[in-house]
Amino acid sequence: MIVLKKQNVKNREWFHCCLGKMRKWESWEAETRTLEYQFSNDPRRFLLIHQTSFARRHLRFWSEHRFLRCSACFLRQFYASVSKVDYFTLRHGFITAHFSEGSNFDFQKYIKRTLEKDFGVVVGISLWVWILSMLFIFLNAHGFYNYLWLPFIPLLMLLLVGTQLQGIITRMCLESQEKSQVVRGTFLVRPSDHFFWFGWPKLLLHIMHFILFQNSFQLAFFTWTWYKFGFRSCFHRKTEDIVIRLAVGVLVQVLCGYVTLPLYALVTQMGTSMKKVIFPEKVVEGLKRWRANARRNIALKNNYTSARPSLDNNTTSINTSPSFGASPSFNLNTSHCVKFDQPSSSEYLAVEVKDEGKANSANRETKDS
């Protein structure tokens, strides 16, 4: 348990490193609201695809060849892994696919909320995480020489993920080039799940979870054994073991926080569907309150409808048949009379309507006499 707590601390460190790298994206997002940006990306302007900055960055001699493209993407992740033109182009493609063109959607805040949501998954503990923990402790025994190969597994997987993310951006550029050679306003990429492994963008999240867990657990286990048994113990008999574990562990944390995680946060938004964090917290809370109130109102309405007494047509009758020389008569059944608090239960109000013709003749006889 102590080792897992130390692991969560290290995971928070790379998360803050990633947020520090993404701070400059705030200025990029603010630039999209300037008149200069809107003028340079006016939809009424037309350009050839090779005249755009995004195409000049990704459409090179190596773009058409898979082996050369993988090699170039592998090297590109170490310098300017996320450039300004990549951010602007992917932002434009996301907004065009899910919103109206020219929307003022804050893409940077959406990415930040998504990364915070994914961070909860990365630091979580699941069954397969416990299995990997037990396997790591089992392999940390004399004879396996795990210091020669186990620390390099997270590093190799991290480099593979970074290469894949860079390759997704280049492949989106190639697909847009095949569909049109003319660009209206700014370069348009079309988000889709088929760019990702097995058409499942969330697979990258689970791979990142494994990489960060494995690397953080190794560093946390090394720190715990150093504190518990001393620097020179049966866990660290050779100097090579100590140097390799520390060097590779720190390298993975730095690469993950400053290179791969920002690239992951941006490129994984290029799937077919949006994520639930598209709505801010206040909007989500307002929608939940509205839903709760609507359910409560429907329940009250159903209860009121079921509690209303049903009227029997046989007990209440209204005689509306036309009769000459007489006014319509109303028969009130006392079984449906309204009872008040003051009168007793045996007293009811009786109303009698006389014939209008007989009443007029009685009045005339009285006057004559």
Side-chain angles (χ1 to χ4, degrees), residues 240-270:
E240 295 85 355
D241 183 9
I242 301 173
V243 173
I244 291 175
R245 288 183 186 277
L246 290 179
V248 175
V250 173
L251 179 61
V252 170
Q253 290 292 115
V254 173
L255 285 177
C256 188
Y258 284 96
V259 177
T260 311
L261 256 297
L263 186 62
Y264 160 83
L266 178 63
V267 177
T268 51
Q269 313 308 324
M270 295 296 105

Side-chain angles (χ1 to χ4, degrees), residues 311-343:
L311 298 179
D312 190 359
N313 295 328
N314 297 327
T315 57
T316 304
S317 60
I318 300 177
N319 186 7
T320 58
S321 57
S323 60
F324 299 95
S327 61
S329 60
F330 296 87
N331 297 327
L332 297 180
N333 194 337
T334 57
S335 63
H336 290 279
C337 293
V338 179
K339 296 168 60 176
F340 296 91
D341 295 334
Q342 297 298 332

Side-chain angles (χ1 to χ4, degrees), residues 47-53 55-56 59 177 181 183 187:
L47 296 172
L48 294 176
I49 195 169
H50 288 281
Q51 295 177 337
T52 61
S53 301
R56 288 196 299 266
L59 296 181
Q177 180 196 17
Q181 294 292 330
V183 175
F187 198 100

Side-chain angles (χ1 to χ4, degrees), residues 120-150:
V121 177
V122 170
V123 299
I125 303 297
S126 57
L127 178 60
W128 69 275
V129 169
W130 281 106
I131 295 174
L132 291 176
S133 303
M134 297 301 103
L135 183 62
F136 172 79
I137 295 174
F138 173 76
L139 293 175
N140 196 24
H142 182 69
F144 287 103
Y145 300 98
N146 59 354
Y147 65 91
L148 295 177
W149 56 271
L150 190 59

Side-chain angles (χ1 to χ4, degrees), residues 207-345:
I207 295 177
M208 295 298 298
H209 187 189
F210 172 79
I211 293 171
L212 292 170
F213 168 79
Q214 183 70 19
N215 185 71
S216 301
F217 191 85
Q218 291 187 48
L219 293 177
F221 188 80
F222 175 81
T223 305
W224 180 77
T225 53
W226 182 8
Y227 171 77
K228 197 72 176 177
F229 305 103
F231 190 72
R232 289 291 183 178
S233 64
C234 60
F235 292 98
H236 314 292
R237 294 181 177 180
K238 296 183 179 181
T239 306
E240 295 85 355
D241 183 9
I242 301 173
V243 173
I244 291 175
R245 288 183 186 277
L246 290 179
V248 175
V250 173
L251 179 61
V252 170
Q253 290 292 115
V254 173
L255 285 177
C256 188
Y258 284 96
V259 177
T260 311
L261 256 297
L263 186 62
Y264 160 83
L266 178 63
V267 177
T268 51
Q269 313 308 324
M270 295 296 105
T272 303
S273 59
M274 297 183 295
K275 299 182 179 180
K276 294 181 179 180
V277 294
I278 191 70
F279 298 106
E281 293 183 1
K282 294 183 179 179
V283 176
V284 173
E285 292 176 358
L287 290 175
K288 288 182 178 179
R289 287 196 300 268
W290 173 82
R291 182 183 181 184
N293 294 332
R295 284 185 171 182
R296 185 167 57 252
N297 293 334
I298 292 174
L300 292 174
K301 184 178 180 180
N302 293 334
N303 294 335
Y304 174 75
T305 305
S306 61
R308 289 180 60 186
S310 59
L311 298 179
D312 190 359
N313 295 328
N314 297 327
T315 57
T316 304
S317 60
I318 300 177
N319 186 7
T320 58
S321 57
S323 60
F324 299 95
S327 61
S329 60
F330 296 87
N331 297 327
L332 297 180
N333 194 337
T334 57
S335 63
H336 290 279
C337 293
V338 179
K339 296 168 60 176
F340 296 91
D341 295 334
Q342 297 298 332
S344 61
S345 60

